[in-house]
Amino acid sequence: MYEIVEPRIEAIKSEIERILSLVELEHKGQPIKVDGFRLRNLAHWQTGCAQTNMEALGPLSGVCNAKCVFCMERSLPFERDYSFLSLPEALTRLQYFDQQNNRCLFPSARPHMETLLNRDAIRILKNARQKNASELFILTTNVSLLTPEIIEELANLKPILLKLSINSTTSENRKSLMGLREDSELTINSMSLLNKFNIPFIGSIVVWPKVDFAELNKSIEDICLYKPYGIRIRLPLIHKFMPKPPTADLNDFWQGTCDYVNSIKGQFNVPIWIEPVQYARVPLLPIVDGVILNSPAQVAGIMAGDMVMEINDRILPTRVDIRNFFSSGALDQLNNLTVKIKRGEKLLTFNLVCHQSYPFSPDLGHPGERFGMLFLPDFDLNYLDNILRVIKKHDARKVLLFCSPLTAGTLENVIDQIPVYRDFFQERFLWIDTLDHTWMEGNTHLLDSRFVVDYENALLEFCDGVNERPDLILIPDSFGSSWGIDFQGRSVFEIETRTGIPVELIPWHYIYGRED
């Protein structure tokens, strides 16, 4: 399935088929049947963008052995690439990954499914490890295939961080939610073995309306017994094609779940956060999202909710600034760190001394964590800087930007409060519009839509409502590739062709799907 990720391949295929309908190829005087073709120079097809070997590989598996009631992949009315990444393809992708320039082969169209269902997964990971000894591998698994033998193999691939899709530690609920037959004892044993082999893990729980908060609390308590790196509480997304979508009011359910999790997470000594992160926290500010158990930050006394004022006398005004500072390598060789924080009305200074104690490791290299202070992905002001460049390029005066309601408020506040942005838009109209109705229905309007028809309909509603015509349309790049082709095979640039209004895809803060 290349129509979405690299449509030129499909175009080449169509052209070859057209030619073959007119001529017949021969070999040694005998007609031959052409059933495929190869790309001659793969260096010319490094159209993807990646910073790590794992990003260059893409999903190892587009197949899953679970049937989760909350899975967005279930019963979709369009084709998906439910295949495995083969070892030969993986080796080719690794060969053509240019880490210096962040270029790789065009991505696959596989969704992220059960990694360990791929029988070549360990061999692929070993080859990736040979390419880079220090890169952090982050893998997601539903635990059902996480055998002692696999865990021992993974221990030889450190640094590695596992995301365990647990959802419930009660056998009955886990079976009901995930359609897996194994006993919850397997989940408990897996977490215990990960402890034994010093492999950090994040416990993941999708909160489904049929599961009450008492069960959620029990699952959190059970996971905490095994020293998780963190616990993420995921709010459910629903679409109309799901076999049995819940009937609960999802707005009330999301808010109720957030209120409950926020009321109990202080009882636990591990990071607990809600996803999508855009829904449940103050954006931008350099507030600590969590403190890793047994880490230097926890030992020193830093707490989730502290606002960082300085790190080693350096002012870092946003979460993204801190994450970029962490990823720069500036702290990697340091054994001590001085952190100034604001807690309520108090200004406090902490001296952090590096050490290793599970689940914390200074060698892990998590993109948002150093010395045990965890900062999750956030709105990047570079997104807005890019928007300004695009608007200048088009000399646009009436700009329509579509985005999720979860980021619209942040964008409006940033423009209003930061002079350089406020001044830029004083002489221009910027309409920030959200999609109230989407083709997949449910609460998918909270995402940046992956379907052209949603933007077409929203554009019509907008023009009718304000009686204005924009001279530039900005759409978040959530289509899986830079080509802007949706899952139905339609290009977002059809809007430009039909309306005559320029359309630009812009990098944006992704809602679900690109978490650490």
Side-chain angles (χ1 to χ4, degrees):
M1 293 183 59
Y2 298 108
E3 297 92 338
I4 295 174
V5 296
E6 185 44 89
R8 291 179 298 177
I9 293 179
E10 192 67 23
I12 292 171
K13 174 177 176 287
S14 298
E15 183 64 15
I16 291 174
E17 289 174 341
R18 186 188 67 80
I19 293 172
L20 291 177
S21 70
L22 303 174
V23 301
E24 184 176 67
L25 300 184
E26 294 184 355
H27 178 66
K28 295 182 179 181
Q30 297 296 319
I32 58 172
K33 181 180 180 181
V34 177
D35 57 7
F37 65 93
R38 63 183 292 270
L39 303 176
R40 177 174 294 181
N41 188 343
L42 288 179
H44 293 164
W45 295 86
Q46 291 173 299
T47 57
C49 181
Q51 294 182 323
T52 67
N53 286 279
M54 294 302 292
E55 289 180 357
L57 286 171
L60 273 61
S61 171
V63 184
C64 191
N65 59 332
K67 293 183 178 179
C68 299
V69 295
F70 47 76
C71 180
M72 291 285 287
E73 291 290 329
R74 294 192 66 186
S75 304
L76 294 174
F78 46 83
E79 189 178 3
R80 296 285 270 151
D81 185 2
Y82 297 130
S83 68
F84 295 112
L85 174 67
S86 68
L87 183 59
E89 180 186 342
L91 295 176
T92 302
R93 288 187 174 278
L94 291 172
Q95 178 184 350
Y96 286 91
F97 171 42
D98 177 2
Q99 191 159 19
Q100 182 176 355
N101 296 305
N102 294 337
R103 304 308 301 172
C104 65
L105 294 178
F106 52 85
S108 75
R110 296 181 192 91
H112 282 276
M113 302 297 272
E114 175 50 47
T115 301
L116 298 178
L117 205 59
N118 186 336
R119 295 181 179 180
D120 287 326
I122 297 298
R123 285 192 287 174
I124 291 171
L125 293 172
K126 285 180 178 178
N127 279 277
R129 179 56 72 213
Q130 289 176 4
K131 296 275 289 185
N132 190 320
S134 60
E135 176 186 322
L136 174 62
F137 292 171
I138 301 179
L139 304 178
T140 300
T141 174
N142 62 34
V143 191
S144 65
L145 302 173
L146 200 57
T147 63
E149 294 77 18
I150 290 292
I151 291 175
E152 190 167 357
E153 292 266 29
L154 293 174
N156 295 321
L157 294 168
K158 295 175 184 175
I160 192 166
L161 174 65
L162 296 188
K163 292 181 178 179
L164 307 184
S165 184
I166 294 172
N167 303 307
S168 175
T169 55
T170 302
S171 294
E172 182 179 350
N173 279 333
R174 186 166 156 84
K175 291 175 183 177
S176 173
L177 290 170
M178 302 179 69
L180 293 169
R181 297 182 179 180
E182 99 282 341
D183 193 270
S184 63
E185 185 175 339
L186 173 63
T187 303
I188 301 300
N189 290 342
S190 295
M191 291 190 289
S192 178
L193 280 171
L194 292 174
N195 275 231
K196 176 183 175 181
F197 285 96
N198 289 315
I199 300 175
F201 70 90
I202 294 173
S204 180
I205 300 174
V206 176
V207 186
W208 198 240
K210 66 174 291 187
V211 179
D212 59 34
F213 289 156
E215 166 65 19
L216 171 61
N217 191 84
K218 180 184 183 305
S219 294
I220 293 174
E221 288 178 343
D222 290 344
I223 295 170
C224 284
L225 293 175
Y226 297 92
K227 302 179 180 179
Y229 188 80
I231 298 176
R232 58 178 187 166
I233 308 299
R234 312 200 83 195
L235 302 174
L237 289 168
I238 309 299
H239 61 71
K240 67 181 179 182
F241 303 107
M242 284 179 164
K244 295 181 179 179
T247 57
D249 185 307
L250 292 177
N251 290 329
D252 291 344
F253 183 74
W254 273 39
Q255 187 59 56
T257 301
C258 286
D259 292 343
Y260 178 75
V261 171
N262 287 330
S263 73
I264 65 168
K265 66 180 183 180
Q267 304 169 19
F268 303 95
N269 60 356
V270 304
I272 298 176
W273 64 89
I274 294 167
E275 291 178 356
V277 294
Q278 299 89 343
Y279 181 77
R281 67 171 187 189
V282 178
L284 294 173
L285 297 179
I287 296 172
V288 178
D289 289 310
V291 177
I292 307 303
L293 179 67
N294 296 331
S295 67
Q298 188 181 67
V299 171
I302 291 178
M303 301 170 61
D306 288 344
M307 184 184 297
V308 173
M309 308 304 289
E310 294 180 11
I311 297 179
N312 278 3
D313 297 322
R314 181 166 181 165
I315 297 174
L316 299 159
T318 71
R319 276 192 189 88
V320 171
D321 289 322
I322 291 181
R323 286 171 60 88
N324 291 339
F325 184 51
F326 285 175
S327 299
S328 72
L331 305 180
D332 290 355
Q333 303 303 318
L334 298 183
N335 291 319
N336 297 276
L337 198 68
T338 300
V339 181
K340 296 180 180 180
I341 65 101
K342 184 177 182 182
R343 182 181 297 165
E345 298 301 318
K346 296 180 180 179
L347 295 176
L348 305 172
T349 299
F350 296 92
N351 295 311
L352 281 56
V353 180
C354 190
H355 66 263
Q356 182 157 336
S357 180
Y358 185 85
F360 172 77
S361 171
D363 301 321
L364 187 65
H366 186 283
E369 180 263 308
R370 293 296 183 274
F371 283 77
M373 297 181 293
L374 181 65
F375 296 86
L376 298 170
D378 204 345
F379 187 90
D380 191 337
L381 295 182
N382 285 326
Y383 299 146
L384 192 47
D385 292 337
N386 179 69
I387 286 175
L388 267 57
R389 287 191 292 270
V390 172
I391 292 173
K392 289 178 180 177
K393 182 181 76 172
H394 288 274
D395 192 25
R397 297 292 161 176
K398 298 180 179 180
V399 182
L400 173 60
L401 185 152
F402 290 108
C403 70
S404 162
L406 301 185
T407 55
T410 300
L411 177 60
E412 291 171 348
N413 289 335
V414 166
I415 292 173
D416 182 60
Q417 295 177 21
I418 299 181
V420 64
Y421 302 130
R422 185 173 62 242
D423 293 345
F424 181 84
F425 287 107
Q426 280 185 344
E427 298 180 356
R428 298 170 175 86
F429 286 106
L430 174 65
W431 293 289
I432 301 172
D433 200 15
T434 60
L435 306 181
D436 297 326
H437 309 287
T438 54
W439 175 67
M440 292 190 71
E441 297 182 6
N443 61 347
T444 59
H445 67 284
L446 296 175
L447 304 172
D448 293 310
S449 178
R450 277 77 161 167
F451 298 95
V452 173
V453 64
D454 291 336
Y455 294 108
E456 286 180 328
N457 292 337
L459 178 60
L460 288 174
E461 290 181 14
F462 169 81
C463 292
D464 289 343
V466 301
N467 198 29
E468 289 272 7
R469 176 183 168 88
D471 56 12
L472 178 63
I473 300 171
L474 303 177
I475 295 176
D477 183 9
S478 58
F479 290 88
S481 81
S482 59
W483 293 96
I485 297 175
D486 70 13
F487 291 127
Q488 295 176 315
R490 296 190 59 197
S491 169
V492 72
F493 298 106
E494 292 178 23
I495 298 174
E496 180 174 326
T497 301
R498 294 181 180 181
T499 65
I501 304 172
V503 172
E504 290 271 5
L505 289 176
I506 54 171
W508 202 244
H509 191 25
Y510 212 74
I511 311 295
Y512 265 148
R514 292 179 184 170
E515 299 83 11
D516 291 335

